[in-house]
Every structure is written in structure tokens, then in C-alpha cells.
Amino acid sequence: MKQLRSIVVGVDFTPCSATALGQAVRLARGGGGAARVRAVHTIETLVLEEVAEIMPPTAVAIVDSVKADAQQAWNEFAPGVDKSGVEFLVLVGNPLAEILAQSRGADLLVLGTHGTSPESQGTGTLATRCVRKAPTPVLLVRRSQTGPFRGVVAAVDFSETSRLALEAAAEVAVGDGAALHILHVFEAPWKRLHYRSPTPEAARDFQKQYSDILARRLEGFAQDVTSRPEVARLGPKFHLVESTSHGVGAVEFIQKHGCDLACLGTRGRTNLRDVLLGSTAERIVRQAPCSILAVKPPDQQPGQGE
């Protein structure tokens, strides 16, 4: 995640989106920066059509009235957030399509993890779809995350996208003075090859050698980031976690260590020009009890690709 110049934040006037707005403003003004923040509220077309069926006034009058109500709601929204300089935009249409359109060219899209649905149901549908389809990095913010992040974990699978996620995690950790965890979850080959049992891979010496090699590979992969003085001062910690599922292992790690931000990479595009999360990222986005920063593959970074 490069220097932020433009941030788009989705607003639905729920408490979670108020927290998201607060984080967007904090990130925009942190480190002496002055990124532009645009808050976007979308009124669904279907809602206006339902209102028009009951109320005879013209469609234009209804739209104007609803927009005026939204502006009033914005004026009263998130009283604890300094909204000076924040552009507020009211749109009519499909919320997903409008947010995606507004996020093109931005450096970061910020959303609450939930709208009106309870957190116990997992990350909301709109937030998950934005992670999957947005052309820019997406930060999903938990309602409770009103201040700086204190524990940041970067999920590394040795891909170039996870390298970008690591860089983003380090930037946030440095800016907030947070603990930085660098995590790699692996599925033990000696368990996946159980049908060959007993196998050489099951020997304790082999298992230790395998883990040692992975640990060295993880440290080497992260060296360009962790060797930077500002990152080294944080004392980043490396973690290897064995699990039957990469997603399960990552979520369990986040829960155990109390991390409040997980940085991960999305898989990439299909031949239909869509974005796949992959099973690991999908599970983390939906089940992790923390905020999520989802980073796009190199060819989808702002200013590249679409």
C-alpha cells in the first residue's frame, strides 16, 4: 500500500460505518499526510421505487427529498469524527456498483465489516463483495476499532501479493506503533500423505528439517521489509502454524494472539475479469474477529489494469 492520496469510505449511517469513517480520516491525516477522503452513501433505486408507489409526487421530488434527508443525516453522523474537509456524496443506484465505481482510482476503500446485520453472522455481504471486486485495497473495519491498531498480522504464502500485504502491514504497524506478526500457515505433507504410512516424511527429523527450512524461507521472504530501521524497531515476530486448513490456521492465530488487523492478499482475476479471494482469504474475511486489510495482486494496484 503506497502513500495514500485518495480514500473512499462507504457510509450507511450505522455505528460500524461511523468507526470506518473515523479510521479513514485517521489514516488520511496520519504521518503528516493529507489524503482526500470521499464519503459515499448510496440510496438503492428499489427503495425509491417502493416509495414512489405509495407517494404520488414526481420521482425527481422524491429523489431530492431523500437526498436532503441523507445530507441532514450526514451532518448529525459520527459526532466524534472531525469531518472537516471530507467530501460527502449521495448517489442513487446499486450500492455495490456505485461503491466500486467510486473506488476506481482511489488508493484505499474503507468499509465497516457490518451494516445492520449482527457481527455474530460474520462479515456482511456487501463488504465481502467489495473485497472480491474492488479495484483497490480494501480495509474492513470492526465497530470496536475506534483507535490505532495494536496488533497487526500479515498472512504470507510467498506470493507477490502477500509481499504487498506484508508491506502494507508493516506500514500500518509503524504508523500506529503496533506489534507486527508475520504468519505462514502450512499443511504438513506427512499428514497429507498418510495413505503411504509409514513414510520417511513422518520421521521427526524430517519434520524438524521441513519446519526449519520454512522458517528460514519466511524470514528471507520478509527481509526487505523487516530490515528497514523503522520496521526492525518494532521487533517483528515470525510464526509458523501447522493446520489442516490455511484459513482455519490463520483465524485461530488471530484469535489466540488478539490481533486487531489482518493483512492479506486476494488471489487475482478470473478470465471473466472478476476477482477471486481464494478459500483462505474468504475464510479470514468472513470469520476473523478483527479488521481486515485486503491487498490486490500487483497488476490490480491503483493506476494499473482496469
Side-chain angles (χ1 to χ4, degrees), residues 2 22 31 58 73 100 107 112 117 139 143 193 205 210 212 215-216 284 286 292:
K2 61 185 180 181
T58 65
L100 294 181
D107 297 312
S117 62
L139 173 62
R143 178 179 177 180
L193 296 176
D205 287 347
Y210 185 90
D212 289 346
R216 290 195 296 270
I284 295 173
R286 288 193 174 277
I292 304 290

Side-chain angles (χ1 to χ4, degrees), residues 266-289:
T266 60
R267 178 184 290 175
R269 294 192 183 279
T270 69
N271 57 2
L272 298 177
R273 304 290 290 169
D274 201 355
V275 177
L276 288 174
L277 283 182
S279 59
T280 298
E282 186 84 35
R283 183 181 290 272
I284 295 173
V285 167
R286 288 193 174 277
Q287 298 184 4

Side-chain angles (χ1 to χ4, degrees), residues 14-288:
T14 61
C16 198
S17 74
T19 304
L21 175 63
Q23 287 293 340
V25 170
R26 188 179 73 84
L27 292 172
R29 299 171 183 171
R36 182 167 60 96
V37 178
R38 183 190 311 129
V40 178
H41 175 69
T42 304
I43 302 166
E44 290 192 60
T45 306
L46 180 60
V47 173
L48 292 180
E49 292 175 350
E50 291 174 348
V51 171
E53 289 179 2
I54 303 222
M55 299 177 65
T58 65
V60 173
I62 293 175
V63 170
D64 289 343
S65 175
V66 173
K67 284 188 174 183
D69 289 343
Q71 182 63 57
Q72 181 61 36
W74 168 255
N75 295 338
E76 300 170 357
F77 180 62
V81 177
D82 180 5
K83 295 181 290 186
S84 59
V86 177
E87 177 188 2
F88 178 59
L89 188 62
V90 181
L91 302 173
V92 177
N94 176 280
L96 176 62
E98 297 298 340
I99 289 176
L100 294 181
Q102 290 298 317
S103 67
R104 288 190 177 89
D107 297 312
L108 182 66
L109 171 62
V110 183
L111 300 165
T113 54
H114 302 80
T116 56
S117 62
E119 290 194 6
S120 60
Q121 293 182 6
T123 302
T125 301
L126 177 62
T128 303
R129 288 178 176 174
C130 284
V131 171
R132 186 180 295 119
K133 294 177 175 292
T136 191
V138 180
L139 173 62
L140 302 183
V141 180
R142 286 269 169 179
R143 178 179 177 180
S144 59
Q145 192 62 50
T146 56
F149 296 103
R150 293 305 177 206
V152 180
V153 57
V156 171
D157 63 4
F158 303 117
S159 67
E160 283 305 306
T161 310
S162 72
R163 188 185 302 278
L164 293 174
L166 172 59
E167 291 176 352
E171 289 175 12
V172 174
V174 168
D176 286 358
L180 176 61
H181 301 276
I182 302 171
L183 170 69
H184 176 69
V185 179
F186 70 99
E187 297 180 51
W190 48 88
K191 293 184 178 178
R192 285 184 287 167
L193 296 176
H194 60 86
Y195 57 86
R196 291 182 55 212
S197 182
T199 66
E201 292 85 355
R204 290 185 179 277
D205 287 347
F206 176 87
Q207 293 180 31
K208 184 178 185 307
Q209 291 174 10
Y210 185 90
S211 296
D212 289 346
I213 291 172
L214 265 185
R216 290 195 296 270
R217 183 183 180 191
L218 182 60
E219 292 182 13
F221 181 86
Q223 186 174 9
D224 287 348
V225 175
T226 57
S227 62
R228 299 170 189 168
E230 66 277 14
V231 179
R233 280 193 289 270
L234 296 175
K237 295 179 175 60
F238 293 88
H239 306 269
L240 287 178
V241 171
E242 179 190 337
S243 178
T244 55
S245 163
H246 294 94
V248 169
V251 170
E252 290 179 347
F253 177 89
I254 291 166
Q255 293 171 329
K256 178 180 178 180
H257 291 267
C259 299
D260 49 21
L261 178 66
C263 299
L264 54 97
T266 60
R267 178 184 290 175
R269 294 192 183 279
T270 69
N271 57 2
L272 298 177
R273 304 290 290 169
D274 201 355
V275 177
L276 288 174
L277 283 182
S279 59
T280 298
E282 186 84 35
R283 183 181 290 272
I284 295 173
V285 167
R286 288 193 174 277
Q287 298 184 4

